Amino acid sequence: FGRDVLTRVMYGARISLFIALIAALVNLFIGVIYGSISGLEGGVVDDIMMRVIDVINSIPLLLYVILIMVILDDNSMFTVMLTLGLVYWVGMARLVRGQVLGLKNQEFVLAARALGVPKRQIIFKHLIPNALGPIVVSLTMMIPSAIFTEAFLSFIGLGASAPQASWGSLANDAVKVFRSSFYQLLFPAGAIAITILAFNFFGDGLRSALDPKLRKG
């Protein structure tokens, strides 16, 4: 069709990174708040909220995408973004819950409760700031996972479709002409690999900088 490979790879970067950003923001907003409430409340509330996460985790991501496509009758990037928004926060929620369980019996939290500080202020002013290190590291690690998931869904035809271009759809188009024009697969696959490696290295660097044990070593 006379389409420029470099231009489509660059345009695909916009789509892939935008979806990763949306997934990260939803991950941060829903996962942190949900996990904080679950860890702070404890007891029956914690059990119910964790069972909800178990149910969400038990259903494969691909099934979510197909189900949303059937309900909305839409096969576009919106479906991918909605799916990632619905399921990608559960890992963050588990992480934050574990951090809150370790922090809620600390003296400063007990003192705030004794003074009658509302739970909302305890969560946002005491618990989340003290768990910010692991949250930021997990967030940076989830971005490459979201990029790969979007690329996979687009590769199998459940994401961006022509004339839109994402790295996954470019790889799918390149497979058909791989024997004669292998470079068409090389560039989108290389862009995916380099971006994922970059975010993984960035996450490892943040973990080393924010974890006192690793910094001490």
Side-chain angles (χ1 to χ4, degrees):
F1 297 105
R3 294 169 178 161
D4 185 87
V5 176
L6 176 61
T7 302
R8 300 194 80 203
V9 169
M10 294 172 65
Y11 184 81
R14 292 167 52 188
I15 293 179
S16 298
L17 293 176
F18 177 73
I19 290 178
L21 178 62
I22 294 296
L25 291 177
V26 172
N27 187 16
L28 181 65
F29 183 74
I30 299 180
V32 170
I33 295 177
Y34 192 95
S36 299
I37 295 174
S38 177
L40 184 61
E41 291 292 340
V44 178
V45 175
D46 181 39
D47 289 338
I48 294 174
M49 295 179 77
M50 286 299 102
R51 297 298 79 76
V52 171
I53 287 182
D54 291 338
V55 171
I56 294 175
N57 257 339
S58 64
I59 303 175
L61 179 66
L62 190 60
L63 189 58
Y64 277 113
V65 178
I66 297 173
L67 183 62
I68 293 174
M69 284 173 52
V70 172
I71 294 174
L72 299 180
D73 193 20
D74 181 31
N75 181 16
S76 65
M77 298 308 300
F78 176 75
T79 304
V80 178
M81 288 189 289
L82 183 60
T83 304
L84 294 179
L86 287 175
V87 302
Y88 248 58
W89 56 270
V90 294
M92 177 67 77
R94 287 184 180 277
L95 172 70
V96 175
R97 172 183 174 268
Q99 295 292 319
V100 170
L101 288 175
L103 290 171
K104 72 176 185 177
N105 292 322
Q106 298 290 329
E107 288 80 2
F108 65 94
V109 177
L110 297 177
R113 282 184 155 181
L115 291 172
V117 177
K119 291 181 180 179
R120 177 173 55 85
Q121 292 188 18
I122 292 176
I123 289 175
F124 287 102
K125 291 188 176 180
H126 298 287
L127 294 175
I128 293 179
N130 282 279
L132 203 57
I135 290 174
V136 172
V137 173
S138 176
L139 191 64
T140 57
M141 292 296 188
M142 289 296 289
I143 291 176
S145 177
I147 292 174
F148 181 80
T149 302
E150 182 277 327
F152 167 73
L153 293 175
S154 296
F155 181 79
I156 63 176
L158 297 179
S161 56
Q164 286 184 325
S166 75
W167 289 336
S169 62
L170 289 175
N172 185 27
D173 294 338
V175 167
K176 304 170 186 175
V177 293
F178 176 73
R179 293 183 181 274
S180 59
S181 305
F182 73 93
Y183 65 90
Q184 293 191 26
L185 179 61
L186 178 64
F187 291 113
I192 295 172
I194 291 172
T195 305
I196 290 177
L197 279 174
F199 276 108
N200 281 332
F201 288 147
F202 182 62
D204 287 338
L206 278 179
R207 183 174 59 184
S208 301
L210 297 175
D211 192 333
K213 296 178 181 177
L214 294 176
R215 189 169 61 244
K216 189 182 298 182

